[in-house]
Amino acid sequence: MTSRIRHITVHCADAYALATFWSQVLELPLHEDDHPGDEEALIEGAGMLFVTVPDAENVKSRVHLDIQPQDRTRDAEVERLLALGAKLVDDHRKPDGSGWAVLVDPEGNEFCVERSAEERAQ
């Protein structure tokens, strides 16, 4: 029998708040048992588990998520995510439409926004 990844676990200062941000990013609901103040929160449809930890991370994470919009352009998705509370920290978008944008979530975790499949096909 093989193994599979059950969850991608994110350590954070406020599990519910950060899970709520990512729930909005992915447009997937939090698990029905999750509530403000919980030490864990799960976006079941994405397999993302957020766990409150007492200590802050002091080093750059070596793992990050790459987001690919499904029903909008990369640039429209970047604007939507900025409105949700993300911050743009590095911009690798090129005049020819290629490239990606590096953002951070409200707790400073980096993630990238790539071009949609439709944009890649052009």
Side-chain angles (χ1 to χ4, degrees), residues 49-99:
L49 176 64
F50 298 83
V51 179
T52 300
V53 296
D55 53 331
E57 296 282 334
N58 293 327
V59 296
K60 179 179 169 96
S61 175
R62 294 175 58 175
V63 176
H64 69 268
L65 301 176
D66 289 341
I67 304 298
Q68 183 182 44
Q70 301 299 299
D71 61 353
R72 58 185 64 94
T73 66
R74 175 201 54 211
D75 294 343
E77 183 68 346
V78 167
E79 292 306 314
R80 184 180 81 86
L81 300 176
L82 293 173
L84 291 175
K87 292 185 178 134
L88 180 68
V89 295
D90 205 359
D91 199 335
H92 295 275
R93 294 177 283 185
K94 298 184 174 133
D96 69 358
S98 64

Side-chain angles (χ1 to χ4, degrees), residues 6-117:
R6 181 166 180 233
H7 296 128
I8 298 167
T9 302
V10 179
H11 290 173
C12 52
D14 185 336
Y16 186 82
L18 195 58
T20 297
F21 169 82
W22 280 100
S23 171
Q24 293 172 339
V25 168
L26 301 172
E27 297 180 344
L28 291 169
L30 291 178
H31 190 277
E32 62 187 27
D33 293 337
D34 292 331
H35 304 286
D38 287 353
E39 292 187 8
E40 294 183 0
L42 175 65
I43 304 173
E44 202 163 24
M48 293 181 72
L49 176 64
F50 298 83
V51 179
T52 300
V53 296
D55 53 331
E57 296 282 334
N58 293 327
V59 296
K60 179 179 169 96
S61 175
R62 294 175 58 175
V63 176
H64 69 268
L65 301 176
D66 289 341
I67 304 298
Q68 183 182 44
Q70 301 299 299
D71 61 353
R72 58 185 64 94
T73 66
R74 175 201 54 211
D75 294 343
E77 183 68 346
V78 167
E79 292 306 314
R80 184 180 81 86
L81 300 176
L82 293 173
L84 291 175
K87 292 185 178 134
L88 180 68
V89 295
D90 205 359
D91 199 335
H92 295 275
R93 294 177 283 185
K94 298 184 174 133
D96 69 358
S98 64
W100 65 95
V102 181
L103 287 79
V104 293
D105 69 20
E107 289 201 15
N109 300 300
E110 284 188 359
F111 64 99
C112 295
V113 181
E114 299 181 351
R115 294 180 295 157
S116 67

